[in-house]
Amino acid sequence: MTTIIVQPSGTEIHVEPGDTVLSGLQKAGYAYTVGCRRGGCGICKIDVLDGEFSYCRPVAETVITDEERADGTCLSCRAVPGDDLTIQMRDASLRLVNPLLGQLNEKARKRAKAPSTPPEEQ
Amino acid sequence: MGIMRMGYAHVRVTDMTEAKNHYASTLGLYETLEDTSPEGNKRVFYKGWDEWDHHSVVLEEGGVGVVKYGWKVEHEADIDAIEKKAQTFGLTVERMSSGENPEVGDGIRFTTTSDHVFEVYHSQTSIGTEVGTHNPDPFPRHLVGVGVPALDHSLITCEDPKLMEKLLMEVFGFYATERVQTSLDADHDLVGTWLTSNNQIHQLAVIGGPQGKLHHFAFRLDDWSQVGHAADIFTMDDVSVDVTPTRHGITRGQTTYFFDPSGNRNEVFAGGYLAYPDRPTNVWTVDQLGQGIFYHARELNERFTTVLT
């Protein structure tokens, strides 16, 4: 299980393995300003404050510079979390546009976080 | 007549396998050549079913955005004439030899005031259209995906659209069919301009923005139903759609915008009125820009002027 924590609000969002940051947030009912969603325009950049991620596809050097690759800049449409991520939005704030998906995600997050109960012995 | 049409758009892609799937399987272009550029990058060349020349789209692996545009002239002598006009305009022009681009003849190359590379040529190996020229059918029976027939036009950005418009008029002999201005007064600023050399409503459009960037390049379709069909295919193929079918106020064209797998914006474009050099230029004021770009929604989406490659 991976959790994305959005600062400064501290909102916690559950993300399925293999989902990009963008697809994970969108599946949870959230939206923010994005562009091509294919790694070419750089509009969906966010800052990663803590945690690791990797890019699932090649990303052009003109989109992510060497400096950005080291300073926590994250191209969210192509980045896949390696573990829990703490992120911060840039110009565009994260907004919940689909409360139903938000509620479902919250339940999934709580289920994934709950300690597993060992089966009762017969 | 000088420039006949935009002969080719040469763009960069980050992943050639994904790009080939998009341009060949979803758009239905025909691959005519695969090679390696002198710099060692993989390249793939494509043509549409209704194009007779060897290629109209070139993909080059390694990044995003436009590498260059090719412009085909009617007569060999047009190359010399355009070279002189470009030099008079103040541009540095170099000669391009046959074979520098596969299957393309001699020509000239220069960088525009917008920082885009233009090549002007007269000959390219003719392959022929899919339906031929003898008693041709209206379309091939076994089109793939959208089955786009041809490259149509492109939109680029630059810091000084007025200067770029001047270049296209003085060097290429283009005329403006539509403009977006800050006002109708004589001292207006030019926000965007749509230009052509023939009856095609636009071959190249220029809007204000960063230098050397690609907004989109477009493929021609016939009508609304084909634009809608294309949009259906894009969803089936998980193409990132930017704008679902709508009409432009500017040019009256019917359109859908979408992104290739590298994030380069594409368009399928149909309709628009016939252009003539003596037709008065349509002028849009910036307060009506939303209606000019997206006629039905009447407002710009947040991506239209910010997403560039």
Side-chain angles (χ1 to χ4, degrees):
Chain A
M1 142 185 189
T2 301
T3 301
I4 294 179
I5 303 165
V6 187
Q7 298 295 18
S9 65
T11 302
E12 294 190 14
I13 296 160
H14 172 68
V15 178
E16 295 294 331
D19 274 347
T20 63
V21 173
L22 171 60
S23 62
L25 295 178
Q26 287 186 332
K27 283 181 184 177
Y30 289 86
Y32 56 105
T33 302
V34 297
C36 68
R37 302 179 289 269
R38 293 293 184 266
C41 69
I43 301 295
C44 67
K45 286 177 186 174
I46 60 172
D47 292 308
V48 168
L49 307 178
D50 190 37
E52 299 293 325
F53 63 90
S54 59
Y55 291 115
C56 60
R57 304 271 172 76
V59 175
E61 290 173 10
T62 52
V63 177
I64 295 282
T65 64
D66 287 344
E67 194 175 73
E68 287 177 317
R69 286 177 195 268
D71 70 4
T73 297
C74 171
L75 187 66
S76 61
C77 72
R78 289 301 201 208
V80 177
D83 52 18
D84 291 356
L85 285 187
T86 302
I87 67 169
Q88 184 167 286
M89 311 309 290
R90 291 189 170 178
D91 298 334
S93 61
L94 189 69
R95 53 198 186 275
L96 183 64
V97 296
N98 190 326
L100 177 60
L101 287 178
Q103 289 165 17
L104 292 172
N105 186 268
E106 178 64 10
K107 285 179 185 170
R109 188 181 70 79
K110 284 180 175 165
R111 273 200 308 275
K113 212 170 185 177
S116 57
T117 310
E120 288 180 18
E121 288 185 16
Q122 299 282 315
Chain B
M1 73 167 289
I3 301 288
M4 288 196 296
R5 63 176 175 275
M6 178 182 288
Y8 50 85
H10 183 147
V11 298
R12 289 191 181 87
V13 296
T14 48
D15 184 310
M16 188 59 84
T17 303
E18 288 187 337
K20 286 177 71 168
N21 196 42
H22 174 80
Y23 287 96
S25 300
T26 297
L27 290 179
L29 293 170
Y30 294 78
E31 181 179 327
T32 56
L33 177 70
E34 184 167 331
D35 76 352
T36 304
S37 74
E39 297 77 29
N41 301 324
K42 188 187 290 183
R43 293 189 302 199
V44 179
F45 297 70
Y46 290 102
K47 72 183 282 293
W49 67 261
D50 205 24
E51 292 171 320
W52 46 95
D53 279 352
H54 180 266
H55 60 263
S56 61
V57 172
V58 183
L59 308 181
E60 180 169 340
E61 197 164 51
V64 289
V66 63
V67 177
K68 60 189 178 185
Y69 293 102
W71 299 94
K72 190 170 189 183
V73 293
E74 184 176 11
H75 304 291
E76 189 84 43
D78 292 330
I79 297 174
D80 299 335
I82 289 173
E83 180 180 38
K84 286 192 180 67
K85 288 178 188 171
Q87 288 167 338
T88 301
F89 192 84
L91 302 170
T92 302
V93 183
E94 64 179 67
R95 281 272 158 178
M96 178 177 88
S97 299
S98 177
E100 282 188 42
N101 297 290
E103 313 297 333
V104 177
D106 294 336
I108 57 171
R109 178 186 300 120
F110 59 86
T111 301
T112 66
T113 57
S114 63
D115 284 344
H116 294 86
V117 175
F118 281 7
E119 293 177 337
V120 179
Y121 65 98
H122 168 61
S123 66
Q124 187 180 137
T125 303
S126 180
I127 290 180
T129 71
E130 182 74 4
V131 294
T133 53
H134 299 163
N135 308 318
D137 288 323
F139 55 85
R141 188 174 294 270
H142 301 293
L143 289 174
V144 173
V146 178
V148 292
L151 178 69
D152 193 76
H153 68 268
S154 187
L155 170 57
I156 57 176
T157 67
C158 69
E159 292 172 0
D160 191 343
K162 207 166 204 169
L163 182 61
M164 189 59 188
E165 181 188 71
K166 189 169 187 283
L167 183 157
L168 289 164
M169 288 178 161
E170 293 185 6
V171 179
F172 272 9
F174 280 13
Y175 63 97
T177 55
E178 308 248 356
R179 286 195 182 104
V180 177
Q181 303 177 178
T182 50
S183 75
L184 298 177
D185 300 331
D187 64 346
H188 66 264
D189 283 330
L190 189 64
V191 175
T193 179
W194 282 249
L195 300 115
T196 189
S197 64
N198 52 28
N199 290 142
Q200 187 183 344
I201 184 63
H202 61 320
Q203 295 175 58
L204 188 69
V206 184
I207 59 171
Q211 288 283 100
K213 288 288 187 178
L214 170 69
H215 186 280
H216 70 266
F217 61 104
F219 298 94
R220 184 178 314 150
L221 293 178
D222 287 341
D223 54 33
W224 272 115
S225 66
Q226 290 191 354
V227 172
H229 177 68
D232 288 342
I233 298 240
F234 297 150
T235 297
M236 290 178 198
D237 286 359
D238 193 28
V239 171
S240 176
V241 172
D242 185 21
V243 180
T244 54
T246 186
R247 180 192 287 281
H248 290 304
I250 297 166
T251 73
R252 292 185 206 151
Q254 297 129 19
T255 175
T256 284
Y257 286 110
F258 51 104
F259 296 103
D260 77 5
S262 304
N264 296 306
R265 190 190 277 102
N266 297 157
E267 180 190 21
V268 284
F269 180 91
Y273 55 87
L274 279 180
Y276 294 97
D278 65 335
R279 195 181 199 284
T281 301
N282 285 357
V283 177
W284 295 78
T285 49
V286 283
D287 58 309
Q288 296 299 311
L289 184 60
Q291 190 166 313
I293 303 293
F294 302 126
Y295 193 66
H296 302 142
R298 285 171 272 174
E299 60 183 28
L300 289 179
N301 69 31
E302 55 190 350
R303 291 182 296 275
F304 193 76
T305 53
T306 53
V307 174
L308 307 165
T309 55

PDB file of all heavy atoms in Angstrom, chain B residues 3 15-16 19 43 45 106 108 115 140 149 164 169 173 190 232 266 295:
ATOM      1  N   ILE B   3       5.325  28.712 -52.275  1.00  0.00           N
ATOM      2  CA  ILE B   3       5.007  27.639 -51.322  1.00  0.00           C
ATOM      3  C   ILE B   3       3.659  26.999 -51.668  1.00  0.00           C
ATOM      4  O   ILE B   3       2.637  27.687 -51.730  1.00  0.00           O
ATOM      5  CB  ILE B   3       4.930  28.206 -49.880  1.00  0.00           C
ATOM      6  CG1 ILE B   3       6.248  28.857 -49.468  1.00  0.00           C
ATOM      7  CG2 ILE B   3       4.508  27.097 -48.904  1.00  0.00           C
ATOM      8  CD1 ILE B   3       7.381  27.905 -49.198  1.00  0.00           C
ATOM      9  N   ASP B  15       9.458   8.028 -26.720  1.00  0.00           N
ATOM     10  CA  ASP B  15       9.448   6.564 -26.807  1.00  0.00           C
ATOM     11  C   ASP B  15       8.919   6.178 -28.184  1.00  0.00           C
ATOM     12  O   ASP B  15       7.732   6.347 -28.464  1.00  0.00           O
ATOM     13  CB  ASP B  15       8.567   5.989 -25.693  1.00  0.00           C
ATOM     14  CG  ASP B  15       8.592   4.463 -25.662  1.00  0.00           C
ATOM     15  OD1 ASP B  15       8.396   3.843 -26.725  1.00  0.00           O
ATOM     16  OD2 ASP B  15       8.799   3.901 -24.576  1.00  0.00           O
ATOM     17  N   MET B  16       9.782   5.658 -29.037  1.00  0.00           N
ATOM     18  CA  MET B  16       9.390   5.393 -30.421  1.00  0.00           C
ATOM     19  C   MET B  16       8.347   4.286 -30.533  1.00  0.00           C
ATOM     20  O   MET B  16       7.468   4.337 -31.394  1.00  0.00           O
ATOM     21  CB  MET B  16      10.627   5.048 -31.255  1.00  0.00           C
ATOM     22  CG  MET B  16      10.338   4.960 -32.738  1.00  0.00           C
ATOM     23  SD  MET B  16       9.667   6.499 -33.434  1.00  0.00           S
ATOM     24  CE  MET B  16      11.180   7.405 -33.759  1.00  0.00           C
ATOM     25  N   ALA B  19       5.115   5.854 -29.782  1.00  0.00           N
ATOM     26  CA  ALA B  19       4.797   6.833 -30.830  1.00  0.00           C
ATOM     27  C   ALA B  19       4.319   6.131 -32.101  1.00  0.00           C
ATOM     28  O   ALA B  19       3.352   6.558 -32.737  1.00  0.00           O
ATOM     29  CB  ALA B  19       6.025   7.692 -31.125  1.00  0.00           C
ATOM     30  N   ARG B  43      14.678   7.254 -36.253  1.00  0.00           N
ATOM     31  CA  ARG B  43      13.664   8.056 -36.928  1.00  0.00           C
ATOM     32  C   ARG B  43      12.691   7.152 -37.670  1.00  0.00           C
ATOM     33  O   ARG B  43      13.077   6.091 -38.171  1.00  0.00           O
ATOM     34  CB  ARG B  43      14.299   9.004 -37.950  1.00  0.00           C
ATOM     35  CG  ARG B  43      15.155  10.084 -37.367  1.00  0.00           C
ATOM     36  CD  ARG B  43      15.561  11.116 -38.407  1.00  0.00           C
ATOM     37  NE  ARG B  43      16.279  10.534 -39.548  1.00  0.00           N
ATOM     38  CZ  ARG B  43      17.034  11.242 -40.385  1.00  0.00           C
ATOM     39  NH1 ARG B  43      17.172  12.551 -40.211  1.00  0.00           N
ATOM     40  NH2 ARG B  43      17.648  10.662 -41.393  1.00  0.00           N
ATOM     41  N   PHE B  45       9.498   7.586 -40.675  1.00  0.00           N
ATOM     42  CA  PHE B  45       8.865   8.482 -41.640  1.00  0.00           C
ATOM     43  C   PHE B  45       7.480   7.946 -41.996  1.00  0.00           C
ATOM     44  O   PHE B  45       7.313   6.734 -42.169  1.00  0.00           O
ATOM     45  CB  PHE B  45       9.728   8.591 -42.912  1.00  0.00           C
ATOM     46  CG  PHE B  45      11.082   9.196 -42.667  1.00  0.00           C
ATOM     47  CD1 PHE B  45      12.060   8.514 -41.958  1.00  0.00           C
ATOM     48  CD2 PHE B  45      11.381  10.463 -43.145  1.00  0.00           C
ATOM     49  CE1 PHE B  45      13.309   9.075 -41.726  1.00  0.00           C
ATOM     50  CE2 PHE B  45      12.628  11.033 -42.923  1.00  0.00           C
ATOM     51  CZ  PHE B  45      13.587  10.338 -42.206  1.00  0.00           C
ATOM     52  N   ASP B 106      17.294  19.000 -53.240  1.00  0.00           N
ATOM     53  CA  ASP B 106      18.013  20.206 -52.810  1.00  0.00           C
ATOM     54  C   ASP B 106      17.037  21.262 -52.296  1.00  0.00           C
ATOM     55  O   ASP B 106      15.873  21.301 -52.694  1.00  0.00           O
ATOM     56  CB  ASP B 106      18.778  20.805 -54.009  1.00  0.00           C
ATOM     57  CG  ASP B 106      19.894  19.885 -54.485  1.00  0.00           C
ATOM     58  OD1 ASP B 106      20.363  19.068 -53.682  1.00  0.00           O
ATOM     59  OD2 ASP B 106      20.275  20.006 -55.661  1.00  0.00           O
ATOM     60  N   ILE B 108      16.773  24.908 -49.311  1.00  0.00           N
ATOM     61  CA  ILE B 108      17.391  25.858 -48.382  1.00  0.00           C
ATOM     62  C   ILE B 108      16.848  25.618 -46.973  1.00  0.00           C
ATOM     63  O   ILE B 108      15.792  24.990 -46.800  1.00  0.00           O
ATOM     64  CB  ILE B 108      17.136  27.327 -48.794  1.00  0.00           C
ATOM     65  CG1 ILE B 108      15.624  27.598 -48.894  1.00  0.00           C
ATOM     66  CG2 ILE B 108      17.863  27.661 -50.086  1.00  0.00           C
ATOM     67  CD1 ILE B 108      15.282  29.071 -49.089  1.00  0.00           C
ATOM     68  N   ASP B 115      12.400  31.189 -33.977  1.00  0.00           N
ATOM     69  CA  ASP B 115      13.325  30.114 -33.599  1.00  0.00           C
ATOM     70  C   ASP B 115      12.861  28.729 -34.027  1.00  0.00           C
ATOM     71  O   ASP B 115      13.162  27.728 -33.367  1.00  0.00           O
ATOM     72  CB  ASP B 115      13.604  30.105 -32.079  1.00  0.00           C
ATOM     73  CG  ASP B 115      14.552  31.218 -31.657  1.00  0.00           C
ATOM     74  OD1 ASP B 115      15.217  31.786 -32.549  1.00  0.00           O
ATOM     75  OD2 ASP B 115      14.600  31.531 -30.453  1.00  0.00           O
ATOM     76  N   PRO B 140      -9.447   4.414 -49.339  1.00  0.00           N
ATOM     77  CA  PRO B 140      -9.048   2.999 -49.318  1.00  0.00           C
ATOM     78  C   PRO B 140     -10.042   2.178 -48.488  1.00  0.00           C
ATOM     79  O   PRO B 140     -10.605   2.683 -47.505  1.00  0.00           O
ATOM     80  CB  PRO B 140      -7.673   3.028 -48.635  1.00  0.00           C
ATOM     81  CG  PRO B 140      -7.231   4.444 -48.663  1.00  0.00           C
ATOM     82  CD  PRO B 140      -8.461   5.274 -48.662  1.00  0.00           C
ATOM     83  N   PRO B 149      -6.047  11.229 -43.896  1.00  0.00           N
ATOM     84  CA  PRO B 149      -5.545  11.249 -45.273  1.00  0.00           C
ATOM     85  C   PRO B 149      -4.281  12.059 -45.467  1.00  0.00           C
ATOM     86  O   PRO B 149      -3.471  11.748 -46.338  1.00  0.00           O
ATOM     87  CB  PRO B 149      -6.696  11.878 -46.059  1.00  0.00           C
ATOM     88  CG  PRO B 149      -7.463  12.669 -45.058  1.00  0.00           C
ATOM     89  CD  PRO B 149      -7.298  11.990 -43.738  1.00  0.00           C
ATOM     90  N   MET B 164       6.803  37.576 -37.002  1.00  0.00           N
ATOM     91  CA  MET B 164       6.713  36.277 -37.686  1.00  0.00           C
ATOM     92  C   MET B 164       5.699  36.351 -38.827  1.00  0.00           C
ATOM     93  O   MET B 164       5.919  35.762 -39.897  1.00  0.00           O
ATOM     94  CB  MET B 164       6.338  35.196 -36.671  1.00  0.00           C
ATOM     95  CG  MET B 164       6.413  33.788 -37.203  1.00  0.00           C
ATOM     96  SD  MET B 164       8.069  33.340 -37.790  1.00  0.00           S
ATOM     97  CE  MET B 164       7.684  31.742 -38.540  1.00  0.00           C
ATOM     98  N   MET B 169       4.742  36.610 -44.666  1.00  0.00           N
ATOM     99  CA  MET B 169       4.184  37.358 -45.806  1.00  0.00           C
ATOM    100  C   MET B 169       5.277  37.739 -46.805  1.00  0.00           C
ATOM    101  O   MET B 169       5.135  37.535 -48.001  1.00  0.00           O
ATOM    102  CB  MET B 169       3.484  38.616 -45.292  1.00  0.00           C
ATOM    103  CG  MET B 169       2.176  38.329 -44.578  1.00  0.00           C
ATOM    104  SD  MET B 169       1.465  39.853 -43.951  1.00  0.00           S
ATOM    105  CE  MET B 169      -0.234  39.355 -43.718  1.00  0.00           C
ATOM    106  N   GLY B 173       5.283  34.693 -49.054  1.00  0.00           N
ATOM    107  CA  GLY B 173       4.144  35.160 -49.832  1.00  0.00           C
ATOM    108  C   GLY B 173       2.807  34.758 -49.248  1.00  0.00           C
ATOM    109  O   GLY B 173       1.794  34.684 -49.956  1.00  0.00           O
ATOM    110  N   LEU B 190      -0.680  42.283 -31.983  1.00  0.00           N
ATOM    111  CA  LEU B 190      -1.156  41.061 -32.636  1.00  0.00           C
ATOM    112  C   LEU B 190      -0.991  39.889 -31.665  1.00  0.00           C
ATOM    113  O   LEU B 190       0.120  39.574 -31.250  1.00  0.00           O
ATOM    114  CB  LEU B 190      -0.354  40.823 -33.917  1.00  0.00           C
ATOM    115  CG  LEU B 190      -0.857  39.717 -34.834  1.00  0.00           C
ATOM    116  CD1 LEU B 190      -2.236  40.038 -35.387  1.00  0.00           C
ATOM    117  CD2 LEU B 190       0.121  39.495 -35.987  1.00  0.00           C
ATOM    118  N   ASP B 232     -13.982   9.014 -31.016  1.00  0.00           N
ATOM    119  CA  ASP B 232     -14.344   7.684 -30.490  1.00  0.00           C
ATOM    120  C   ASP B 232     -13.105   6.785 -30.455  1.00  0.00           C
ATOM    121  O   ASP B 232     -12.839   6.097 -29.470  1.00  0.00           O
ATOM    122  CB  ASP B 232     -15.413   7.025 -31.367  1.00  0.00           C
ATOM    123  CG  ASP B 232     -16.783   7.672 -31.211  1.00  0.00           C
ATOM    124  OD1 ASP B 232     -16.993   8.381 -30.207  1.00  0.00           O
ATOM    125  OD2 ASP B 232     -17.632   7.472 -32.099  1.00  0.00           O
ATOM    126  N   ASN B 266      -1.708  17.025 -31.010  1.00  0.00           N
ATOM    127  CA  ASN B 266      -2.185  16.802 -32.378  1.00  0.00           C
ATOM    128  C   ASN B 266      -3.601  17.362 -32.497  1.00  0.00           C
ATOM    129  O   ASN B 266      -4.263  17.626 -31.500  1.00  0.00           O
ATOM    130  CB  ASN B 266      -2.274  15.312 -32.717  1.00  0.00           C
ATOM    131  CG  ASN B 266      -0.949  14.555 -32.692  1.00  0.00           C
ATOM    132  OD1 ASN B 266      -0.958  13.342 -32.521  1.00  0.00           O
ATOM    133  ND2 ASN B 266       0.163  15.226 -32.882  1.00  0.00           N
ATOM    134  N   TYR B 295     -15.799  27.575 -30.184  1.00  0.00           N
ATOM    135  CA  TYR B 295     -17.003  28.340 -30.499  1.00  0.00           C
ATOM    136  C   TYR B 295     -18.167  28.006 -29.571  1.00  0.00           C
ATOM    137  O   TYR B 295     -18.934  28.882 -29.188  1.00  0.00           O
ATOM    138  CB  TYR B 295     -17.395  28.078 -31.951  1.00  0.00           C
ATOM    139  CG  TYR B 295     -18.433  29.045 -32.445  1.00  0.00           C
ATOM    140  CD1 TYR B 295     -18.129  30.397 -32.586  1.00  0.00           C
ATOM    141  CD2 TYR B 295     -19.721  28.617 -32.755  1.00  0.00           C
ATOM    142  CE1 TYR B 295     -19.070  31.293 -33.030  1.00  0.00           C
ATOM    143  CE2 TYR B 295     -20.664  29.513 -33.199  1.00  0.00           C
ATOM    144  CZ  TYR B 295     -20.341  30.853 -33.331  1.00  0.00           C
ATOM    145  OH  TYR B 295     -21.280  31.744 -33.756  1.00  0.00           O
TER     146      TYR B 295
END
